[in-house]
Amino acid sequence: MPGRHVSRVRVLYKRILQLHRALPPDLKALGDQYVKDEFRRHKTVGSGEAQRFLQEWEAYAAVLQQQAKDSRQSSTGIACFGTSLPEEKLNDFRDEQIGQLQELMQEATKPNRQFSITESTKPKL
């Protein structure tokens, strides 16, 4: 990414990784790896693409921050993270991005996850 965006990118990158701490452990691990890969992949893009990249990740960070806040304030103890992807936005994706999205969805919905995300208030014996 062009030089003038470097500090903005660094701050955003650190903020997202910090926000991921609110996620269940398996989603945090998946999210951290995805963020690292995406930021690395976009290091050398042009100014226009860098601007769109930053806007999308800033929107993601804002949504995640609100969901983390809602999760902490929830009386049910059930955390809800994520959002639907509108079809019109999906139509703007390149084939490579569709492939990445499919891989991410498959990884996020694997039945044999490393961690369980079931919320329980009872201690396991």
Side-chain angles (χ1 to χ4, degrees):
M1 285 185 206
R4 66 177 186 253
H5 294 296
V6 172
S7 65
R8 182 175 163 199
V9 170
R10 200 171 286 136
V11 167
L12 178 60
Y13 178 79
K14 288 179 179 181
R15 179 176 172 222
I16 291 169
L17 292 178
Q18 184 177 23
L19 287 168
H20 280 179
R21 293 178 189 162
L23 297 173
D26 56 343
L27 292 180
K28 178 189 179 305
L30 179 64
D32 286 355
Q33 189 58 55
Y34 187 75
V35 168
K36 290 173 186 176
D37 291 346
E38 281 296 292
F39 274 71
R40 195 174 300 121
R41 191 177 293 125
H42 285 81
K43 263 186 173 179
T44 58
V45 299
S47 184
E49 190 171 348
Q51 195 62 35
R52 284 189 302 278
F53 177 84
L54 289 171
Q55 287 172 345
E56 289 299 322
W57 281 102
E58 285 167 345
Y60 167 78
V63 167
L64 187 56
Q65 184 170 3
Q66 184 61 51
Q67 289 175 343
K69 179 182 173 190
D70 293 347
S71 173
R72 286 191 303 272
Q73 295 174 348
S74 171
S75 59
T76 63
I78 297 173
C80 182
F81 295 101
T83 185
S84 297
L85 185 61
E87 190 173 336
E88 61 271 7
K89 202 162 206 164
L90 197 57
N91 291 335
D92 292 337
F93 283 15
R94 297 186 310 266
D95 289 344
E96 175 191 350
Q97 291 171 310
I98 296 291
Q100 289 173 338
L101 191 58
Q102 286 177 318
E103 287 176 25
L104 184 60
M105 184 187 73
Q106 288 169 351
E107 191 64 34
T109 57
K110 275 186 179 175
N112 296 327
R113 299 180 112 148
Q114 184 177 355
F115 302 98
S116 171
I117 13 174
T118 57
E119 298 289 331
S120 175
T121 54
K122 296 179 184 175
K124 294 181 180 176
L125 301 175

